[in-house]
Amino acid sequence: MPVTTIGKEFEYFIEDQLDLNGYNYESQVQASGINESWSEIDIVITYDESDTAEAVSLKYQGGPGSAEEKIPYEAESLSIMCKAHGYQRGTIVLAGEGWSKAKLYWFLYEYQPPTNVRIISYDDFVRQYLTVRDIAINYAIN
């Protein structure tokens, strides 16, 4: 079975961008969810000014696969983790070119995850959290 690293590279890229934009965050945070054993949240962003935190789950789909089928489970598990650990909300970020158009549309506009979880596209994540100018400059430098 081939080892894929695109998802990890995507996580590292997002972490670098959060650093550049001055966010306080932790990555690979252990949290209890649906499973009795500990799970990990990709990123937990802490907002010092409001004393709140947000759990972020990054989902990269580079080609056809089963990630689409796992999103409802991820939404439920992230909701439980947020409640268990006092995070204000959970955000699932969908990135990559491998999502089927119909399912991507359904996740973004029709599916109703738990009330403390939202699903957004990578483009929306960039608009809401990151400075596009900084991303372009840093991509050119690196």
Side-chain angles (χ1 to χ4, degrees), residues 72-90:
Y73 178 88
E74 179 69 12
E76 293 297 327
S77 186
L78 192 58
S79 174
I80 291 168
M81 288 186 272
C82 286
K83 289 175 185 173
H85 298 280
Y87 303 140
Q88 181 181 4
R89 75 171 170 197

Side-chain angles (χ1 to χ4, degrees), residues 101-119:
K101 290 181 183 189
K103 287 183 181 173
L104 182 62
Y105 181 88
W106 185 73
F107 287 131
L108 295 175
Y109 304 109
E110 295 178 359
Y111 172 64
Q112 294 183 4
T115 57
N116 63 337
V117 173
R118 67 190 182 131
I119 301 174

Side-chain angles (χ1 to χ4, degrees), residues 17-83:
Q17 295 306 314
L18 291 171
D19 280 336
L20 291 168
N21 284 275
Y23 283 92
N24 294 324
Y25 72 91
E26 290 181 66
S27 58
Q28 300 305 311
V29 176
Q30 295 229 331
S32 57
I34 290 175
N35 299 322
E36 289 182 21
S37 61
W38 290 92
S39 298
E40 288 184 344
I41 298 172
D42 294 328
I43 295 172
V44 174
I45 300 172
T46 303
Y47 302 101
D48 294 332
E49 64 278 356
S50 60
D51 196 31
T52 60
E54 176 179 7
V56 179
S57 177
L58 303 171
K59 297 298 173 200
Y60 185 90
Q61 180 82 353
S66 63
E68 294 172 330
E69 299 166 7
K70 299 172 186 169
I71 298 301
Y73 178 88
E74 179 69 12
E76 293 297 327
S77 186
L78 192 58
S79 174
I80 291 168
M81 288 186 272
C82 286
K83 289 175 185 173

